[in-house]
Amino acid sequence: MIRIEDLRFRYGEGDFQLRIPELAVESGTTTAFIGPSGSGKTTLLNLIAGIIRPEKGRVETRGVEVSGLSDEERRRFRITTVGLVFQEFELLEYLTVLDNILLPYRIHSALTLDSSVRERARSLAERVGISDKLDRHPRRLSQGERQRVAVCRAVLTDPPLLLTDEPTGNLDPVNRERVLDILFDYVEDSGTTLVSVTHDHEILTRFGRVMDFRDFHAFGEAGSGAAGGAS
Amino acid sequence: MRDTLYLALRYLAFHRVKTAILVAAITLIVFLPVGLRVIVNQSSQQLTARAEATPLVIGAKGSPTELTLNTLYFSSDVPARTTHAAAAEVTETGLAHAIPMYVRFRVRDRPIVGTTLEYFEFRGLRIVEGRQLAILGEAVLGSRAAKRLGVGPGDYVISSPESVFDIAGVYPLRMPVVGVLEFSDSADDDAVFVDVKTAWVIEGLGHGHQDLSRPEAAAGVLRREGNVVVGNASVMQFNEITPDNIDSFHFHGELSDFPLTAVIAVPPDQRSSALLQGRYQSAGLSQIVNPTEVMDELLDTILTVEKFVIAGAVTVGLATLATTFLVFALSLRLRSRERETLFKIGGSRTAVATVMTSEIVVVLAAGVLLALCLTFLTQRYGDVIIRALIR
């Protein structure tokens, strides 16, 4: 599903450099990236999604070498293949909950918004318990509700790869469990690959595999993947 | 395109106050110079057309503009009075027909125009309802005046006192409306026409009261000195001229001394016009004006003022436009995170740019559209505005 070879990335002329000799994530698995702030977890997520390009090396997702795609091709790749959930939710304040969920269908011609998509959005909202808030704007929602909207937006396109950055970072324990239930239920039902960056050690047991960026070694499914490294 | 436009509209609707301010700014930028141009064009056409249809105006010496505006548009600024003798003088020259005009009083905000039947013929005004003036005390209304006052043939209008505090002033006269004129799209539509003698009755120069020679009026007699009968305050003055009391109406003084605000002189040809103007060139108490020349001078002043106003409007407009674009630029900068989110999710560069551009285009389009609507309204109702300004 995801294959990384000899990856190197640096932000400008800064000291930080991400180096990953080899990494593989299989389809349909759930993987957590953990490690201290600044160790490169989110950067790796962005590289996998094609938001940024590596200085060197290959990032291949579902047989596509993302790092070799043009800017516009990578956008098309993301909108059709990747579902993204951000730590700060990144909902648009001027759109209602329903419009926020439908957003991917309005910003790229690769996706067509029709009645079936709307129906699916409503169905997802119902599944995560926000169907009565579809006409509200994000500022009138609780943190947990906003995160659920973000999850709905990420999975609406039925992406084979779901990347989440601190999906429970801003949530209380009850909402944390609720969002995780939603994510893992969805992954289980759809067979989607889930890669998640987290600081929350309490949720690690729910992932099939955990990669620690601190000691550059993957743990969990021993020997199932190569180590990542950050320096 | 539909989706990106939808997002743009959602953004503008959510920030409705900011959007409204921007649209209003664009509207003003476009409308101010265009609307002003329309008003000036219309007023220039209106002023010129009516002036060209009025050959010469004779009045007492004073402001030619005031004389012309009062005679052509029945403006409330009453020029210095001339006398009925001025009309007789014009007729005596044999160089023009004289139409007396006495425009001083009002029925509410509508001018009472005291004139003769020749005026209606001169302006080509036709009765569409009722009949023409026949006896003293009757009134014929312009179409708009009839509509605004809510009266028609069979109803009455009452002249308004000039000042409620002037207890020695003229009493209001109740006048039956006998006819309504056809719409002429001119100042005549707003006027209440009466015979010039009726205007003098309103002035108090003519009046009707109980016949003091009759026995039943004895209580009103203060004293009798030969043929002169002096009445006391109990003598009833009529405030309406009816067939029953019309014979009691009479005028005190010489008719030639009775006031007029102007005399419209209608010469049969250019030669007569030139000769008549020549007669008034010498020093005297009267002046003769050519309304076209007066209006041209007025228009020159208006056009000069317009240039200054447009220059000011354009300067303010440019400053507003610059501020508007600054607001857009700052808004785009403040929304960099939103743009980043859209890019991260996979939004195409074209779609994201289209959303942002659509917002600007929608605001500009709404502003221009609103300005066009205002311009249309100005064009449609410009004459009403101009008349209100002149009045």
Side-chain angles (χ1 to χ4, degrees):
Chain A
M1 173 64 174
I2 301 171
R3 299 203 181 282
I4 293 173
E5 289 172 12
D6 193 22
L7 179 79
R8 286 184 191 203
F9 179 82
R10 186 200 295 266
Y11 284 108
E13 298 300 312
D15 293 338
F16 171 82
Q17 189 180 35
L18 180 68
R19 294 173 61 196
I20 301 176
E22 198 179 2
L23 173 74
V25 176
E26 295 306 319
S27 288
T29 59
T30 58
T31 306
F33 291 165
I34 61 165
S37 297
S39 58
K41 307 182 294 296
T42 300
T43 302
L44 181 56
L45 220 55
N46 287 339
L47 284 162
I48 293 169
I51 293 170
I52 50 176
R53 296 172 89 164
E55 214 174 272
K56 192 183 166 203
R58 279 168 64 93
V59 178
E60 192 183 297
T61 305
R62 287 172 60 86
V64 177
E65 192 192 337
V66 183
S67 49
L69 298 176
S70 70
D71 199 35
E72 200 50 48
E73 285 168 338
R74 279 185 287 131
R75 290 168 200 271
R76 178 177 282 270
F77 163 78
R78 277 202 297 283
I79 203 93
T80 54
T81 313
V82 185
L84 280 157
V85 179
F86 307 101
Q87 184 178 4
E88 299 292 334
F89 322 133
E90 308 291 352
L91 302 176
L92 302 195
E93 57 159 1
Y94 58 87
L95 295 181
T96 61
V97 166
L98 181 61
D99 283 334
N100 263 294
I101 296 173
L102 293 171
L103 186 62
Y105 283 84
R106 294 194 190 276
I107 55 172
H108 204 293
S109 56
L111 303 176
T112 307
L113 179 58
D114 56 27
S115 56
S116 66
V117 176
R118 287 176 200 278
E119 196 45 50
R120 182 170 150 72
R122 287 178 194 281
S123 159
L124 280 169
E126 194 172 345
R127 196 164 152 190
V128 302
I130 52 168
S131 58
D132 58 333
K133 296 178 173 67
L134 290 176
D135 292 331
R136 287 193 188 174
H137 286 91
R139 65 180 174 191
R140 290 185 60 207
L141 300 177
S142 68
Q143 292 282 82
E145 286 167 341
R146 284 183 213 178
Q147 188 64 306
R148 278 180 267 162
V149 176
V151 170
C152 287
R153 182 178 69 188
V155 302
L156 182 68
T157 55
D158 220 355
L161 176 61
L162 191 55
L163 304 177
T164 66
D165 191 358
E166 302 283 5
T168 57
N170 288 316
L171 304 180
D172 58 74
V174 175
N175 272 310
R176 182 181 66 192
E177 287 309 310
R178 190 163 190 177
V179 167
L180 284 174
D181 286 346
I182 292 163
L183 277 174
F184 280 90
D185 284 352
Y186 174 77
V187 166
E188 196 177 321
D189 291 350
S190 61
T192 296
T193 307
L194 172 67
V195 178
S196 192
V197 165
T198 184
H199 275 107
D200 189 349
H201 285 251
E202 288 181 32
I203 68 169
L204 293 182
T205 52
R206 301 191 68 154
F207 288 88
R209 184 179 172 205
V210 176
M211 293 181 66
D212 192 341
F213 275 55
R214 186 176 45 202
D215 54 15
F216 317 130
H217 288 287
F219 61 90
E221 283 183 1
S224 66
S231 59
Chain B
M1 183 66 192
R2 199 184 61 182
D3 290 320
T4 49
L5 185 63
Y6 176 83
L7 291 178
L9 290 175
R10 294 318 312 156
Y11 178 84
L12 294 174
F14 186 76
H15 299 284
R16 52 181 74 88
V17 175
K18 186 178 92 177
T19 305
I21 292 170
L22 288 172
V23 168
I26 300 292
T27 303
L28 283 179
I29 292 166
V30 179
F31 174 68
L32 273 181
V34 178
L36 190 64
R37 191 69 261 197
V38 168
I39 283 274
V40 168
N41 276 346
Q42 278 200 352
S43 53
S44 129
Q45 278 167 14
Q46 275 202 17
L47 293 173
T48 312
R50 198 155 165 94
E52 281 170 355
T54 313
L56 296 167
V57 173
I58 295 160
K61 283 205 166 167
S63 161
T65 309
E66 211 168 76
L67 175 66
T68 308
L69 288 178
N70 180 267
T71 310
L72 270 58
Y73 297 99
F74 319 133
S75 69
S76 54
D77 290 330
V78 183
R81 271 22 141 240
T82 184
T83 61
H84 192 249
E89 278 168 25
V90 173
T91 308
E92 276 167 21
T93 63
L95 295 170
H97 291 293
I99 304 172
M101 301 289 288
Y102 194 41
V103 188
R104 176 184 163 186
F105 302 103
R106 309 237 140 205
V107 172
R108 280 193 261 168
D109 59 340
R110 306 286 137 182
I112 294 175
V113 179
T115 184
T116 60
L117 292 177
E118 282 183 302
Y119 181 83
F120 299 94
E121 201 180 318
F122 166 64
R123 291 280 187 220
L125 301 172
R126 292 191 310 159
I127 298 281
V128 283
E129 217 182 323
R131 60 167 173 80
Q132 186 50 276
L133 299 171
I135 60 169
L136 193 69
E138 292 178 339
V140 162
L141 270 60
S143 60
R144 240 186 325 254
K147 204 172 172 184
R148 293 281 163 82
L149 296 170
V151 293
D155 296 323
Y156 290 86
V157 289
I158 300 172
S159 65
S160 307
E162 287 184 302
S163 166
V164 290
F165 301 107
D166 183 11
I167 55 172
V170 295
Y171 290 103
L173 184 69
R174 189 167 182 253
M175 297 168 283
V177 177
V178 295
V180 175
L181 295 170
E182 191 179 35
F183 178 71
S184 63
D185 196 18
S186 70
D188 297 319
D189 295 328
D190 293 303
V192 174
F193 291 95
V194 297
D195 187 83
V196 67
K197 290 193 180 77
T198 307
W200 289 332
V201 171
I202 298 171
E203 173 108 2
L205 297 170
H207 62 185
H209 50 73
Q210 284 177 296
D211 184 356
L212 295 178
S213 64
R214 296 175 73 89
E216 61 267 27
V221 176
L222 192 64
R223 64 177 184 275
R224 290 177 193 274
E225 292 166 358
N227 286 334
V228 179
V229 182
V230 180
N232 62 30
S234 70
V235 175
M236 193 180 77
Q237 281 211 24
F238 302 119
N239 64 354
E240 181 185 344
I241 304 166
T242 65
D244 295 334
N245 68 20
I246 192 166
D247 290 339
S248 78
F249 273 82
H250 54 277
F251 292 88
H252 294 273
E254 287 295 318
L255 185 73
S256 59
D257 293 335
F258 285 3
L260 293 177
T261 45
V263 176
I264 295 176
V266 190
D269 49 46
Q270 281 294 324
R271 183 177 165 277
S272 304
S273 172
L275 287 171
L276 190 64
Q277 287 181 71
R279 291 198 178 206
Y280 284 86
Q281 293 306 315
S282 55
L285 295 173
S286 300
Q287 64 170 331
I288 189 163
V289 297
N290 183 333
T292 311
E293 287 171 11
V294 174
M295 286 305 162
D296 282 347
E297 276 178 35
L298 191 63
L299 283 175
D300 279 348
T301 312
I302 292 174
L303 289 174
T304 309
V305 172
E306 186 212 6
K307 279 178 196 163
F308 281 111
V309 173
I310 286 187
V314 167
T315 311
V316 172
L318 287 175
T320 315
L321 201 63
T323 312
T324 305
F325 278 104
L326 190 68
V327 170
F328 277 123
L330 286 173
S331 172
L332 288 179
R333 203 165 166 181
L334 287 170
R335 292 169 68 192
S336 59
R337 183 167 174 175
E338 176 192 329
R339 270 202 315 280
E340 206 173 303
T341 302
L342 293 175
F343 286 142
K344 276 184 183 174
I345 293 171
S348 70
R349 195 171 284 279
T350 316
V352 176
T354 310
V355 172
M356 307 285 170
T357 313
S358 299
E359 288 164 14
I360 299 172
V361 170
V362 167
V363 167
L364 287 174
V368 170
L369 197 67
L370 211 58
L372 288 177
C373 288
L374 286 174
T375 307
F376 172 76
L377 288 175
T378 309
Q379 193 131 31
R380 178 79 181 74
Y381 298 105
D383 56 335
V384 180
I385 299 168
I386 294 160
R387 264 196 297 274
L389 289 174
I390 291 173
R391 199 186 303 153

